[in-house]
Amino acid sequence: MRPSFSPRQVSENPFGDPALFVPFSLERRALLFDCGRLDALFPRDVLKVSHVFVSHAHMDHFMGFDRLIHLALGREKDLFLYGPEGFIENVRGKLSGYLWNLVHRFENRFTVTACEVSEKGLLRRCFALSDAFRPGPVEPAGQFSGLLLSEPAFSVSAAILDHGAPSLAFALRERFHVNIKAAALQSLGLAPGPWLARFKAALFEDRDPLFPFEIGPDEGGPRSLPLGELARRIARISPGQSLAYVTDAVFSPENERKILALARDVDHLYIEAAFLDSDRHQAREKLHLTAAQAGRLARKAKARDLTVFHFSPRYSDAPHLLHQEALRAFRGET
């Protein structure tokens, strides 16, 4: 079964800047969780990014913003960013740090919309290339209920954690997964093609099963079949993919409660493991998690898989110790 999205860390080095790249299969689209250095991504991959979810604006989590903007100049694009309280000012400061006197040479529409997440609610501000990225008005964007982005196929939720300042953790959940049965397509004389994306979209939009779904002449048609019948014959519906992304948070009862609620039953938990548990006093002082704490959180959340990252450089000669400690805790061995 081909996954709907294939997450990968931009830096393969667990000491590198945090950034999780999540491209969607068969689409020219991706999400990005945190925005550290993005040099390891090809420009074509960076340009797929539609939404960026930033835990907080420390440099190692946000310095890749410049590359996102640089590559998008001259292209039709709407880029959406989410971050914690104060994030709109972080984005404004980044954009105002450059000279935009030649933007009249660009004919494309490129906008950056920053959304700020706090317990008081959501705020939104738009910056348009055509206006030299001068900030538009700050607009309310609803109450914060945890949900940040909801589309027919998937949703992204957040929790506000304590890192001395607010730091966001995120969860991406696909509603359900649609797998196309190749043999069934062949038996109906249908060829794979773009129509399958329309078909899946109709399922995610909860169209009436009697809705007449049109299959064009280049796709084995022309013909029309009821959506429900077509789904029964060519599709296998299964639970959707899910992941959670957690970084830069002190270990506390309140953070633990929020992380477990956000990451419950995810397929894959990506979580920081900055220190060994023997150095947990340092972890608490620096407001980070230990590898053992990360592993226990993954086990309590009943995550199916675990990846730890964001290691302190003090362990640069022995990263395996952090991996091993997290894995033992995840397995319940400590």
Side-chain angles (χ1 to χ4, degrees):
M1 182 176 69
R2 183 170 188 170
S4 296
F5 48 82
S6 303
R8 70 177 188 267
Q9 291 178 290
V10 174
S11 173
E12 296 181 358
N13 184 343
F15 300 97
D17 289 353
L20 182 68
F21 179 67
V22 186
F24 288 85
S25 301
L26 306 178
E27 294 185 49
R28 293 186 56 80
R29 185 187 181 187
L31 307 180
L32 191 62
F33 293 92
D34 263 344
C35 194
R37 290 179 65 93
L38 301 179
D39 298 352
L41 287 180
F42 290 116
R44 65 174 180 270
D45 285 332
V46 175
L47 289 170
K48 292 177 183 177
V49 174
S50 62
H51 293 71
V52 185
F53 301 90
V54 179
S55 61
H56 61 302
H58 282 168
M59 180 179 286
D60 54 338
H61 295 258
F62 196 41
M63 67 186 302
F65 176 76
D66 286 14
R67 188 162 191 244
L68 281 171
I69 299 301
H70 186 204
L71 289 172
L73 295 175
R75 300 181 184 265
E76 293 286 327
K77 189 170 182 66
D78 293 303
L79 182 64
F80 298 88
L81 299 102
Y82 296 78
E85 188 169 4
F87 185 65
I88 286 176
E89 180 60 20
N90 297 137
V91 173
R92 187 206 64 77
K94 278 276 199 179
L95 292 171
S96 67
Y98 294 100
L99 181 64
W100 301 108
N101 64 305
L102 300 179
V103 294
H104 62 278
R105 298 183 179 183
F106 294 101
E107 297 181 357
N108 62 298
R109 179 181 183 274
F110 175 34
T111 65
V112 175
T113 300
C115 185
E116 187 171 301
V117 180
S118 76
E119 298 289 0
K120 295 177 286 188
L122 306 180
L123 297 175
R124 180 173 53 217
R125 196 170 202 176
C126 186
F127 305 80
L129 173 65
S130 60
D131 197 25
F133 288 123
R134 293 184 183 88
V138 176
E139 300 173 334
Q143 297 298 311
F144 175 62
S145 62
L147 186 66
L148 298 185
L149 177 65
S150 179
E151 297 192 5
F154 69 89
S155 64
V156 177
S157 300
I160 303 172
L161 306 180
D162 176 22
H163 182 53
S167 179
L168 301 183
F170 304 101
L172 166 63
R173 296 182 185 269
E174 183 187 23
R175 282 185 58 207
F176 52 83
H177 186 73
V178 182
N179 189 49
I180 302 300
K181 297 183 282 189
L185 282 182
Q186 189 174 10
S187 69
L188 290 173
L190 299 176
W195 71 276
L196 288 174
R198 292 192 296 109
F199 166 69
K200 292 180 180 181
L203 295 179
F204 284 122
E205 291 165 5
D206 295 323
R207 294 287 188 94
D208 190 314
L210 298 179
F211 169 73
F213 186 83
E214 300 289 340
I215 303 170
D218 296 333
E219 300 158 341
R223 71 172 94 176
S224 174
L225 290 172
L227 179 65
E229 178 186 346
L230 186 61
R232 179 178 59 80
R233 298 178 72 173
I234 72 167
R236 184 180 297 110
I237 309 297
S238 59
Q241 286 178 259
S242 58
L243 66 84
Y245 176 89
V246 179
T247 188
D248 288 56
V250 66
F251 188 75
S252 68
E254 183 66 5
N255 275 353
E256 179 179 21
R257 180 187 66 79
K258 291 180 178 180
I259 292 169
L260 294 180
L262 181 76
R264 181 70 62 192
D265 296 322
V266 294
D267 295 323
H268 204 135
L269 174 59
Y270 295 84
I271 185 167
E272 73 155 15
F275 292 86
L276 289 173
D277 211 51
S278 57
D279 295 323
R280 56 186 174 275
H281 62 288
Q282 288 284 338
R284 182 156 193 84
E285 181 180 319
K286 295 182 180 295
L287 306 172
H288 283 284
L289 299 176
T290 70
Q293 289 164 351
R296 292 185 195 114
L297 286 167
R299 187 178 80 253
K300 288 183 178 181
K302 298 182 180 179
R304 292 167 188 66
D305 203 357
L306 168 69
T307 294
V308 289
F309 65 100
H310 207 17
F311 296 176
S312 167
R314 68 164 53 198
Y315 308 107
S316 57
D317 293 333
H320 64 283
L321 296 179
L322 290 154
H323 285 294
Q324 290 170 358
E325 180 173 282
L327 188 58
R328 286 197 302 270
F330 183 41
R331 291 172 174 168
E333 297 170 1
T334 60

